[in-house]
Amino acid sequence: MERKSNIELLRIVCMLMIILWHINIGFGGDKDLITFSLGNIINAVTVLGVNCFVLISGYFGIKFRLKTLISLLLQCLFYSIVISVTCHDTIGSSIDFKMLFMPISSDVWWFMTVYVMLYLSSPLLNKALDGMSITETLCSLISFLIINIWFGYCFKNDNNPSGHSYLQFVLMYLIGRTISLCKSNATWNFCRYSKYLFANSGGATLTLIVTICINMFFIKSYRYNNPLVVLSSIAIFHVFLNMKTGSIRQVNLLSSTVVAAYLIHEHPQIRPLLAEKVMMIHNSFPVYYEILLFLLIAFSFIVLGFVVEKIRRFLMNPLINFVFNRIEN
C-alpha cells in the first residue's frame, strides 16, 4: 500500500505531540490556574500521539523482515551508546552498561520495547487477521476493547492499567488493520454506520473535537486506554487519512526519521536535562512565550533527529547492507 504524504505528515505531528507531552509533564504539579488549564489542554491533545503511531502501523500492516528488525535494534543501540557516552563525557553522567548495550531489553525507551514485541508477533497477528471473516474480526476487536478498556482502564488490571503495554499496541494495531480492511473491502457494509463520524474530514474533525473536549473538561484522564483517547486517536487518524495530498518529498523524508527524535529526547540521560530546561522556561517567561518556546523545542528535536539519523544511516547502512547481501548470497 502506497504511503502518501498525508499519513507521513500525521507521523510528524504524532512525534510533535509526544515531545510536547513529555515537555508538559516537565512542570507537572503546578496548580496556577492558567498553567494548570494550559497543561490540561496540552495533555488532552498530545496524549493521542502514541496510539496514532501504532494505528499507522496497523493500517499499513507490519511486513516482518529480519533486516528491518536488526536495523531497528541497531538504531536503538547507536543512540543508547552515543547519548550515554556523550552525557558521561560532558556532564559526568554515570553509565549503566546493561542499559547501554541492551536498551530494548532494559526498557530504556518503553515505546521501543513494546513496539519490538509487536513487530516480533506481527507475522502471527497478520496471519490470524488475514484468515478471519468479518464477524471473527469484529469479535476479536470487541474482545480486545473489553480486555484493554473494561479490565485495563476501568479496573486497572495489572496487564494494562494505563495503556503502556503490549496489549494496548495489539488493540491499536487491530483497529488500524480493521480500518484498512473497511476501506479496501466493499463487503464490509457495517462501515456505513461510522460514515457520519469518520468518512469525511468534517465528521472526523467534529468527532475529534467533541471527544477531546469531553475528556478535557469532564473525564480528565490521559491514559492511552481511556476509551475517549482511543476514539480521539481514531478520529485524528481519519482527519489525515481523508486529506487529499500527493507525495511531498520533504514531508516523506522528515517522516522517515522522526523515531530518532523520540530516541534522543526520551533517553534517560536527556530526560532530566529537558525537564530542567522546561522548568526554567516556565519560571522565566509568560504563558504565550512559553507555548512558542515549547513548540520550538519540540520541532528542534525533530530537526536534530533528522540530521543525526542521516549521519547514522550514512555510517551504518553500508555495513548492514553488506552483511545481509553476503547472507543472501
Side-chain angles (χ1 to χ4, degrees), residues 34 38 281 285-295:
I34 295 178
L38 173 62
I281 292 172
F285 295 93
V287 171
Y288 47 89
Y289 279 152
E290 192 175 352
I291 297 172
L292 292 175
L293 287 171
F294 289 165
L295 287 170

Side-chain angles (χ1 to χ4, degrees), residues 168-233:
Q168 179 70 16
F169 277 37
V170 173
L171 170 63
M172 301 312 298
Y173 187 83
L174 178 56
I175 292 173
R177 295 299 297 147
T178 304
I179 293 171
S180 179
L181 289 170
C182 287
K183 289 185 69 68
S184 61
N185 192 333
T187 63
W188 286 54
N189 292 325
F190 74 90
C191 295
R192 68 181 183 272
Y193 298 116
S194 66
K195 66 181 180 180
Y196 297 109
L197 296 178
F198 304 125
N200 57 75
S201 295
T205 302
L206 180 61
T207 303
L208 174 65
I209 293 172
V210 170
T211 50
I212 285 178
C213 287
I214 292 173
N215 195 36
M216 183 170 59
F217 292 111
F218 299 103
I219 308 300
K220 296 183 181 180
S221 174
Y222 304 114
R223 289 181 277 162
Y224 300 133
N225 57 351
N226 175 352
L228 287 173
V229 173
V230 172
L231 187 57
S232 300
S233 302

Side-chain angles (χ1 to χ4, degrees), residues 24-61:
N24 191 44
I25 62 178
F27 58 87
D30 191 321
K31 297 305 180 183
D32 172 79
L33 180 60
I34 295 178
T35 303
F36 180 78
S37 301
L38 173 62
N40 201 38
I41 293 170
I42 293 175
N43 277 337
V45 175
T46 60
V47 71
L48 312 180
V50 168
N51 282 345
C52 281
F53 246 103
V54 187
L55 271 176
I56 293 171
S57 294
Y59 182 78
F60 289 108

Side-chain angles (χ1 to χ4, degrees), residues 1-11 52-64 115 126 130 172-173 175-181 237 241 255:
M1 186 182 298
E2 182 184 359
R3 299 197 180 196
K4 296 183 179 179
S5 294
N6 55 339
I7 299 299
E8 299 309 311
L9 180 60
L10 174 60
R11 204 186 303 272
C52 281
F53 246 103
V54 187
L55 271 176
I56 293 171
S57 294
Y59 182 78
F60 289 108
I62 294 174
K63 311 298 189 297
F64 183 91
Y115 189 82
N126 292 338
D130 291 342
M172 301 312 298
Y173 187 83
I175 292 173
R177 295 299 297 147
T178 304
I179 293 171
S180 179
L181 289 170
F237 178 78
L241 187 62
S255 170

